[in-house]
Amino acid sequence: MQIGKAGPMNTAISTADADSITVRGHDLASEIMGPMSFTEYFYLLVTGKAPDEGQRFFLDVLLNAIAEHGLVPTNQVARMTYAAAPDALHGAVAAGILGCGSVVLGTAEGCGMFLEAAQARFSKTGETPGDGMKAYLEEVHASGQRAPGFGHPLHKPVDPRAQRIFELARQRGVAGTYCEIALAAEASVPDVWGKPLPMNVSMGIAAVLLDIGFPAAMLKAIPILARTASLLAHLNEEQTTPIGFGMAAKAAAAVSFGEHE
């Protein structure tokens, strides 16, 4: 049975025979193992092209920025899953990654959609982001939507990760259209929403990735890949210093039983 529209039955990513593995046109053993860092290899795998120095540098920056943030929900659920199933490391990692969504961790995707929509609008109207952003944000706010990439429960008045991303983007000369849009939004969001909403790391990730030519549809790949490293660190610690069941017990004790009012 065929479901949906099928494409040509081929892949351009890799192939292998008895003597070699070829990835994106490169021999794995001689051209990738040794010459390439994992970050460079990841970019090659996703895009089909080796990154230039700027692209490699910022992929490293952004992966480092989003990898670890303490006992956030993704890390909690992974540790509790591992406590319940210590024979399934992969299952605990998967449990954490499943939480990469529109509220926590995976929000760079929504930021990218916002940035692309704003860019399309300004291209059509001929406005600069500085001139047209407030009116655009007022439309977003009036429709009942949130300001994607703004606000953080902990980092106030600024998210230091976002500030560092834009600082490096300016220093390295990669800040382009999407960084300009993000910074214009930063200037207007508090006025439109009527409260201080700091730009968070997800907006920085999305803006720089789009400016360095990373595929928009794969923005969520950065937090997924980065957080996998963090989850493995937490699961390694869970093996020797287990807190998974302790967190579960604390959660049970913190929640009362009774009918909802």
Side-chain angles (χ1 to χ4, degrees):
M1 176 184 288
Q2 181 174 321
I3 300 175
K5 184 179 179 180
M9 298 294 288
N10 71 282
T11 176
I13 297 174
S14 70
T15 187
D17 57 32
D19 302 315
S20 66
I21 304 105
T22 303
V23 182
R24 294 292 195 183
H26 298 266
D27 180 74
L28 177 66
S30 64
E31 297 180 69
I32 295 174
M33 295 171 63
M36 282 192 187
S37 69
F38 182 73
T39 301
E40 292 169 315
Y41 188 33
F42 169 65
Y43 192 95
L44 175 68
L45 281 169
V46 172
T47 69
K49 301 176 182 178
D52 60 30
E53 175 56 23
Q55 291 164 331
R56 182 211 59 77
F57 176 86
F58 278 99
L59 271 186
D60 273 333
V61 167
L62 302 178
L63 288 166
N64 289 345
I66 198 67
E68 172 58 25
H69 203 263
L71 287 171
V72 291
T74 53
N75 293 338
Q76 291 184 38
V77 72
R79 292 185 80 138
M80 286 189 277
T81 300
Y82 186 82
D87 54 327
L89 178 67
H90 58 289
V93 173
I97 292 300
L98 287 171
C100 182
S102 60
V103 176
V104 177
L105 186 61
T107 51
E109 184 176 53
C111 293
M113 294 171 66
F114 168 84
L115 291 170
E116 290 196 310
Q119 194 276 335
R121 175 194 175 100
F122 300 143
S123 293
K124 184 176 180 179
T125 63
E127 297 172 299
T128 66
D131 292 335
M133 180 55 71
K134 188 171 183 180
Y136 176 59
L137 289 173
E138 287 172 344
E139 292 175 13
V140 173
H141 184 253
S143 69
Q145 299 178 60
R146 295 181 178 181
F150 289 89
H152 197 280
L154 177 62
H155 297 304
K156 300 171 184 178
V158 298
D159 183 335
R161 301 166 299 174
Q163 298 301 308
R164 179 61 170 161
I165 287 168
F166 284 99
E167 177 188 5
L168 289 170
R170 288 189 291 266
Q171 288 178 3
R172 295 267 176 159
V174 306
T177 299
Y178 295 103
C179 284
E180 182 184 3
I181 292 171
L183 293 170
E186 181 183 36
S188 295
V189 160
D191 289 339
V192 174
W193 268 262
K195 57 185 177 181
L197 289 171
M199 182 192 295
N200 63 47
V201 68
S202 294
M203 182 59 81
I205 288 172
V208 169
L209 284 175
L210 291 175
D211 273 339
I212 66 172
F214 198 76
M218 292 301 293
L219 294 181
K220 194 184 283 190
I222 301 304
I224 289 173
L225 180 62
R227 190 54 57 89
T228 298
S230 175
L231 289 169
L232 289 167
H234 278 269
L235 296 172
N236 180 58
E237 185 179 69
E238 185 68 21
Q239 294 177 12
T240 57
T241 312
I243 61 173
F245 283 136
M247 288 191 295
K250 292 287 186 182
V255 179
S256 61
F257 175 76
E259 295 294 327
H260 296 294
E261 295 183 1

